Amino acid sequence: RKEVEQDPGPFNVPEGATVAFNCTYSNSASQSFFWYRQDCRKEPKLLMSVYSSGNEDGRFTAQLNRASQYISLLIRDSKLSDSATYLCVVWGSSASKIIFGSGTRLSIRP
Amino acid sequence: EAGVAQSPRYKIIEKRQSVAFWCNPISGHATLYWYQQILGQGPKLLIQFQNNGVVDDSQLPKDRFSAERLKGVDSTLKIQPAKLEDSAVYLCASTPQGTGELFFGEGSRLTVL
């Protein structure tokens, strides 16, 4: 079993739709969780951190479920510019261990 | 503030040749990472430095890959000899103290023929 698993997609949804991705992790001692966005042929950039209480940033909502060991990302009212690959990132039990998921590709169509 | 600088952006070599990539992290960032990202996959950590010391190199193929950060600032990643499966983007990232947001450079895209 991979340490961090994501549905690779692609998710192809119309503009304005709501879309959600999950990411599961295997190490219950993992400390910190993030979502990064990676545009085609570009470097990953931090989208948002994921807090235990859940957090929202505009149209984006991230949640953590420690009991089931997954994090989620919800995008509301999707825009064409949201088309990208979304990478789940888990910091392990030691701060030095950072693991990336393989990414979920999202394509928003007009 | 200047971001993470990497060079070269693109490199094409034949198998069994050698290649070196350079990274200059954000000023003041103590922790530097080298990642390998193969097309369609997430970044895989190759090596992590804290200042000029190695924190984690467990996934670095040490028979062909080497990396150094001699003065605790910029870093070089070398591959010798290259194999076809080394074709990937090599991403350098830095953080102030090994926690929080990773800041990535634009990457060095390697094609091995």
Side-chain angles (χ1 to χ4, degrees):
Chain A
R1 181 185 173 187
K2 289 184 180 178
E3 292 183 85
V4 177
E5 289 199 73
Q6 292 184 252
D7 183 338
F11 285 68
N12 189 323
V13 302
E15 201 172 3
T18 295
V19 61
F21 320 128
N22 279 349
C23 166
T24 59
Y25 60 95
S26 60
N27 186 348
S28 59
S30 298
Q31 299 290 320
S32 305
F33 309 88
F34 304 87
W35 284 103
Y36 277 69
R37 170 191 170 129
Q38 187 171 26
D39 293 309
C40 188
R41 302 179 77 85
K42 298 287 189 179
E43 73 274 21
K45 292 184 178 178
L46 180 66
L47 177 67
M48 59 196 302
S49 304
V50 186
Y51 303 121
S52 297
S53 54
N55 49 299
E56 190 173 305
D57 183 2
R59 298 180 294 107
F60 298 83
T61 300
Q63 297 209 313
L64 167 65
N65 184 318
R66 284 194 181 273
S68 300
Q69 294 182 208
Y70 74 86
I71 67 172
S72 63
L73 178 68
L74 179 78
I75 306 175
R76 290 181 299 278
D77 188 24
S78 54
K79 312 290 185 192
L80 295 176
S81 58
D82 295 333
S83 296
T85 295
Y86 292 83
L87 296 161
C88 166
V89 180
V90 176
W91 288 65
S93 53
S94 65
S96 63
K97 183 121 174 112
I98 308 169
I99 303 168
F100 280 77
S102 55
T104 297
R105 283 196 296 135
L106 173 64
S107 179
I108 307 298
R109 62 180 188 271
Chain B
E1 180 183 82
V4 176
Q6 289 189 246
S7 68
R9 290 291 314 280
Y10 304 93
K11 188 74 176 180
I12 301 174
I13 61 173
E14 295 188 347
K15 60 183 179 182
R16 292 188 289 274
Q17 288 187 322
S18 62
V19 63
F21 303 113
W22 173 83
C23 171
N24 192 21
I26 292 173
S27 178
H29 281 196
T31 309
L32 184 149
Y33 309 80
W34 282 103
Y35 284 89
Q36 179 193 59
Q37 188 173 26
I38 293 171
L39 187 66
Q41 299 181 18
K44 183 184 91 170
L45 179 67
L46 293 176
I47 190 166
Q48 177 186 345
F49 293 95
Q50 179 74 17
N51 296 308
N52 61 350
V54 175
V55 174
D56 184 354
D57 64 356
S58 57
Q59 298 190 91
L60 186 73
K62 297 181 186 64
D63 58 335
R64 298 184 301 106
F65 287 64
S66 64
E68 59 184 16
R69 192 185 185 198
L70 292 176
K71 296 183 180 178
V73 180
D74 56 351
S75 176
T76 303
L77 176 71
K78 295 180 181 177
I79 308 174
Q80 181 179 17
K83 292 185 175 181
L84 296 177
E85 58 261 36
D86 298 333
S87 294
V89 177
Y90 291 85
L91 293 161
C92 179
S94 68
T95 64
Q97 285 294 341
T99 59
E101 181 178 358
L102 290 169
F103 295 86
F104 284 90
E106 293 182 301
S108 294
R109 185 176 298 274
L110 174 66
T111 301
V112 182
L113 302 176

